[in-house]
Amino acid sequence: MTVPGIEWPRLVAWMGRNVPDAGEPLSVSLISGGRSNLTYLVEARERRLVLRRPPLGHVLPTAHDMRREWRVISALAPTPVPVPDPVAFCGDEDVIGAPFYLMGHVPGAAMRTREELGDPPPERVRRLSERLAEVLAAIHAVDYREVGLGDFGRPEGYMARQLDRWCQQWERSKTADLPEYDRLVRRLRDRLPSEAPGTLVHGDYRLDNTLVSAGDLEILAVVDWEMSTLGDPLADLGLTLTYWHSRGDDERAGIPVAGDATLAPGFLDAAEFAEHYAKASGREITDLGFYVAFGNFKLAVIIEGIHARFRQGKTVGEGFDRIGAAVPTLISRAHRTLDQV
C-alpha cells in the first residue's frame, strides 16, 4: 500500500505493539493535507482511527508539533471542550518518517462551504454559529493549570512574542519582498495592546477546524491544535473573524481559506458572532480591530509558508497554484482594518 507520508508496513507493526485493541490495521487513506498537517483515516478491524503527521516538506521550526497537539487533546478530553479521543502518540521518526499520533475517528465533517452545510433551516444554522462562539468561550474558560497545561506557554508578553514569531516565520518562508508587509509590522508593533489575563488559545479557530454532525449540525470536536498555547484569548477571536466571509465582501472570496459557510442563511455575521462570544465568555472585546488586523497578518504569513512549500513541490493536494496571490490581499486588509481603529 502506497500513501504519501505513510510507511505502511512499519505503521502496521507499530500499531500491533502499541494499539492492539484496535485490531489488525486494514487500510490507510489521506483525508486532507497540503496546507498544514496531514490527516489520514486508518481502518482497523475493531475501530476507525485518525492519524496526524506534519507536512512532507518545508517544516518551519516550532511548527507542526505533533507532541503539542497530542498533549492538548489529552488534557482537554475530560473538559467541556469537545475533542477527539486521544489514542496513542509516536515520537519515533523511523516509523513513518515523522512524529505522529492516533485519535479516535469522529463521525462528523469539517464544513467549509455553504454546499457542505446543505440546506438546513436558518435557525439550525444560527444555532451552529452560536455554538461555534460558545465552544471558543469554553476553550478560553479552561483552567489550564488544573488540566496539566500550566507550562504549555507563557501568557505574559504573548502578543509581542507572536509578532516576533510570525516575523521570523515570514523571513524563513518569504518568496518575495513586500514593502507593505514591512510597514504593517511597524504599525502592529506600535499598536500592541496592554497585557490581558492568559488563557488556553487554539491558535487557528474556525468552523472548518471543527467536526460537525450532518443533519443537526452539532459541533462534535475541535481539531487542528498545532498552534495552541497560552496567551491572549482575543487573538483567537480576531483570527476567527479574519476567516469570516461577509456578505458583499467580494475581495474575501479570492482568499482560498475557510470557505463561504458563514454566508449560509441564518449564520451570525461577524459583529453578531463577536457579541455572542462576549456574552458567552463574559469578556470585554475592546480593541478587537487590532486583533483582526493581526489575524490578517498571521494568516498572510501562514499562506506564504504554504506557497513556499508549493513552489518546492512539497504540497499534497490541489488548488495551491493560486494561493500565493492571497498574501498581499491579506496584508492590505490588515492595513485597512488598522485605519478604522
Side-chain angles (χ1 to χ4, degrees), residues 128-140:
L128 169 63
S129 56
E130 291 174 343
R131 183 66 182 139
L132 189 67
E134 292 162 9
V135 170
L136 182 59
I139 292 170
H140 297 158

Side-chain angles (χ1 to χ4, degrees), residues 135-203:
V135 170
L136 182 59
I139 292 170
H140 297 158
V142 168
D143 186 334
Y144 58 83
R145 296 180 183 88
E146 183 68 24
V147 299
L149 295 176
D151 61 347
F152 199 59
R154 290 183 294 129
E156 301 80 11
Y158 171 76
M159 291 306 300
R161 287 198 312 277
Q162 280 284 291
L163 182 57
D164 289 342
R165 175 194 173 182
W166 291 106
C167 285
Q168 291 166 8
Q169 304 289 56
W170 173 269
E171 291 302 320
R172 294 185 180 103
S173 299
K174 69 177 181 179
T175 59
D177 289 321
L178 295 177
E180 283 299 286
Y181 164 85
D182 297 324
R183 186 168 75 92
L184 176 59
V185 171
R186 292 194 296 269
R187 294 186 74 186
L188 291 172
R189 200 173 297 282
D190 289 343
R191 286 288 310 275
L192 283 170
S194 302
E195 292 288 329
T199 71
L200 177 65
V201 293
H202 181 278

Side-chain angles (χ1 to χ4, degrees), residues 70-93:
W70 166 256
R71 183 179 175 191
V72 75
I73 68 167
S74 298
L76 292 177
T79 75
V81 179
V83 292
D85 174 35
V87 175
F89 175 82
C90 178
D92 183 357
E93 297 189 14

Side-chain angles (χ1 to χ4, degrees), residues 216-296:
D216 58 2
L217 299 184
E218 287 291 328
I219 294 177
L220 302 178
V222 181
V223 294
D224 291 11
W225 291 90
E226 64 186 271
M227 290 192 284
S228 59
T229 188
L230 305 182
D232 188 333
L234 291 189
D236 260 352
L237 179 61
L239 184 63
T240 301
L241 296 176
T242 299
Y243 287 119
W244 221 262
H245 193 157
S246 300
R247 293 169 184 82
D249 187 355
D250 295 335
E251 181 184 64
R252 179 64 186 79
I255 302 173
V257 291
D260 63 353
T262 57
L263 292 177
F267 219 100
L268 297 177
D269 64 26
E272 291 170 331
F273 180 85
E275 290 169 4
H276 196 77
Y277 167 84
K279 180 179 179 180
S281 65
R283 183 169 284 110
E284 294 287 337
I285 57 171
T286 53
D287 207 17
L288 184 57
F290 168 85
Y291 293 96
V292 173
F294 192 93
N296 278 283

